[in-house]
């Protein structure tokens, strides 16, 4: 009877131990399900911390915080501090930069009462999980360690999912903006620039006919031609700016004569300047400069045009001696600096 009782008691203890292990395993599976279910519904990184605190508080008997980096990559502490001990910024920074675990139960600074776990994705570190257990020995149990590692993987996956979602939304927004920009450029290029070109040609023909006949309406036709030319130039500038934004600004340098660049820019404004009292001219000599001469000519033409539009007839009388002075100094290879020091190009 003693042998039978001993065998029966041993079997009963084994069954009870297996039942207790199964019950703990079921609890861990339930905690994992709660964590995965809660993280699958988050829409912002700030919503992850409350879910982690609720689940880890029940599963690991610990408090936790999630530190996330900002746009510049600097870690930001959560607004609501849940830990009793404030983490050391040096430990937090080291763990985030190196991607290694630090704190209690590790080889790095095991004396602190909290544990720092980096949330690592396939590419980089997304943030940090700082956990402060109420009983450190309970956290060091192998089953609890595996449960904590699984929690870290779930949180990292949620953060990576949110990051990919934001990236996809930004890519979609950029694609929509690009599509809208292309539609606007197509409308400006085909639906507006072509009629303006035809209108400009008709205005020139009308101006020539009226000038030949000596009609008093010739100045009005000239004003119509200048206004059409100004509108065409504005549309071309808008297309150029859109092209620069889309393709980038590729600087192509070449040696050109300054009088050619400034003269070509001012020649297009001779008709407009004839109606003003201020004269436009260029005093550029035979100097040369290296740069993007098309962009420089456009800039000079726009500055001169704005001066004509703003000053007007009365302003031209008051500022008859106004000059716009542009200085160019070459300190590169191929030309002696003293050749171009003090070289000036003046107009107005």
């Amino acid at each position: 009877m003693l042998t039978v009782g001993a065998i029966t008691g041993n079997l009963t203890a084994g069954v009870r131990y297996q039942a207790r292990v199964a019950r703990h395993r079921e609890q861990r599976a339930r905690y994992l399900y709660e964590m995965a279910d809660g993280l699958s519904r988050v829409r912002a990184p700030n919503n992850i911390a409350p879910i982690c605190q609720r689940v880890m508080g029940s599963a690991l008997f610990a408090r936790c915080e999630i530190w996330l980096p900002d746009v510049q990559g600097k870690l930001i502490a959560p607004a609501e501090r849940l830990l009793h001990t404030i983490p050391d910024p040096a430990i937090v920074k080291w763990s985030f930069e190196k991607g290694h675990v630090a704190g209690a139960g590790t080889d790095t600074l095991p004396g602190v009462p909290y544990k720092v776990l980096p949330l690592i994705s396939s590419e980089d570190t997304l943030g940090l999980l700082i956990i402060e257990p109420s009983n450190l020995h309970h956290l060091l149990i192998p089953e609890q360690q595996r449960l904590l590692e699984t929690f870290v993987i779930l949180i990292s996956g949620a953060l990576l999912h949110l990051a990919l979602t934001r990236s996809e939304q930004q890519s979609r927004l950029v694609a929509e903006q690009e599509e809208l920009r292309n539609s606007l450029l197509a409308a400006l290029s085909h639906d507006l620039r072509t009629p303006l070109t035809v209108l400009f040609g008709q205005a020139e023909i009308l101006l020539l006919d009226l000038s030949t006949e000596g009609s008093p309406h010739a100045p009005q036709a000239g004003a119509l031609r200048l206004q059409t030319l100004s509108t065409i130039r504005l549309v071309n500038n808008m297309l150029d700016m859109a092209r620069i934004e889309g393709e980038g600004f590729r600087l192509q340098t070449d040696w050109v004569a300054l009088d050619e660049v400034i003269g070509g820019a001012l020649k297009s404004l001779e008709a407009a300047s004839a109606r003003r009292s201020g004269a436009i001219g260029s005093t550029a000599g035979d100097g040369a400069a290296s740069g993007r001469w098309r962009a420089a000519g456009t800039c000079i033409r726009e500055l001169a045009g704005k001066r004509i539009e703003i000053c007007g007839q009365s302003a031209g009388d008051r500022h008859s001696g106004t000059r716009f002075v542009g200085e160019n100094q070459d300190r590169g290879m191929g030309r002696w600096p003293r050749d171009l020091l003090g070289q000036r190009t003046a107009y107005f």
Side-chain angles (χ1 to χ4, degrees):
M1 293 299 293
L2 180 60
T3 303
V4 173
I7 294 175
T8 303
N10 190 17
L11 293 176
T12 303
V15 171
R16 288 180 178 177
Y17 175 76
Q18 292 178 1
R20 185 167 62 253
V21 170
R23 184 169 59 254
H24 289 311
R25 186 183 300 114
E26 181 182 357
Q27 289 179 355
R28 289 194 295 270
R30 180 169 58 85
Y31 291 140
L32 289 175
Y33 173 78
E34 291 180 1
M35 177 70 78
D37 182 66
L39 294 178
S40 64
R41 301 178 182 179
V42 297
R43 294 294 180 267
N46 297 330
N47 299 332
I48 297 180
I51 298 175
C52 296
Q53 174 59 36
R54 176 173 56 84
V55 178
M56 290 187 180
S58 301
L60 303 176
F61 304 101
R63 294 175 174 270
C64 66
E65 290 181 357
I66 295 181
W67 292 41
L68 299 176
D70 56 4
V71 180
Q72 289 77 21
K74 182 180 179 182
L75 280 176
I76 301 299
E80 183 180 0
R81 307 304 297 267
L82 302 176
L83 302 182
H84 296 295
T85 304
I86 300 177
D88 189 353
I91 302 176
V92 172
K93 183 179 180 180
W94 180 88
S95 178
F96 179 75
E97 293 179 352
K98 301 297 182 180
H100 296 300
V101 182
T106 65
D107 297 335
T108 305
L109 298 175
V112 295
Y114 52 84
K115 187 174 183 179
V116 182
L117 299 100
L119 304 174
I120 303 175
S121 66
S122 58
E123 298 179 356
D124 54 359
T125 303
L126 302 177
L128 291 179
L129 173 64
I130 304 177
I131 181 170
E132 184 182 15
S134 57
N135 187 359
L136 181 59
H137 297 285
H138 179 75
L139 187 63
L140 296 179
I141 299 176
E143 289 79 6
Q144 298 296 91
Q145 289 286 334
R146 289 194 291 268
L147 181 62
L148 179 60
E149 293 175 359
T150 308
F151 284 156
V152 170
I153 294 174
L154 291 176
I155 297 172
S156 301
L159 290 175
L160 180 60
H161 174 72
L162 293 176
L164 293 177
T165 301
R166 290 195 302 268
S167 178
E168 190 272 337
Q169 292 177 352
Q170 293 177 358
S171 300
R172 184 184 304 174
L173 180 61
V174 170
E176 292 178 355
Q177 292 177 350
E178 185 69 18
E179 183 180 359
L180 180 61
R181 187 180 68 88
N182 292 335
S183 301
L184 178 60
L185 291 180
L188 289 176
S189 179
H190 300 287
D191 299 341
L192 183 59
R193 188 167 60 175
T194 301
L196 285 175
T197 304
V198 175
L199 181 60
F200 178 73
Q202 296 295 331
E204 279 193 338
I205 296 175
L206 180 60
L207 178 60
L208 292 176
D209 293 342
L210 294 178
S211 299
T212 304
E213 297 176 358
S215 174
H217 300 290
Q220 297 178 0
L224 177 62
R225 173 185 173 278
L226 292 177
Q227 187 64 34
T228 306
L229 181 61
S230 176
T231 307
I232 292 175
R233 189 166 61 248
L234 178 61
V235 173
N236 291 334
N237 292 341
M238 293 175 61
L239 294 175
D240 291 339
M241 292 301 299
R243 189 179 300 107
I244 291 175
E245 291 180 358
E247 302 177 359
F249 187 81
R250 298 178 178 86
L251 183 62
Q252 299 176 357
T253 59
D254 192 9
W255 287 99
V256 294
L258 290 177
D259 54 351
E260 295 181 2
V261 177
I262 301 176
L266 298 180
K267 186 177 180 181
S268 61
L269 299 172
E270 289 179 352
S273 62
R275 300 184 293 109
R276 309 294 184 183
S277 60
I280 291 182
S282 174
T283 62
D286 55 353
S290 176
R292 190 168 180 175
W293 60 274
R294 294 182 182 273
T298 304
C299 180
I300 294 173
R301 184 178 64 248
E302 292 300 321
L303 288 175
K306 289 300 179 181
R307 189 265 178 185
I308 295 174
E309 294 176 3
I310 294 175
C311 290
Q313 182 72 26
S314 59
D317 295 337
R318 292 193 302 269
H319 302 283
S320 59
T322 304
R323 295 195 310 164
F324 180 87
V325 179
E327 295 185 358
N328 182 18
Q329 297 181 357
D330 188 314
R331 298 185 182 274
M333 300 297 295
R335 295 294 297 270
W336 291 102
R338 63 172 179 271
D339 293 341
L340 294 180
L341 284 175
Q343 180 184 18
R344 297 183 178 181
T345 299
Y347 59 93
F348 296 152

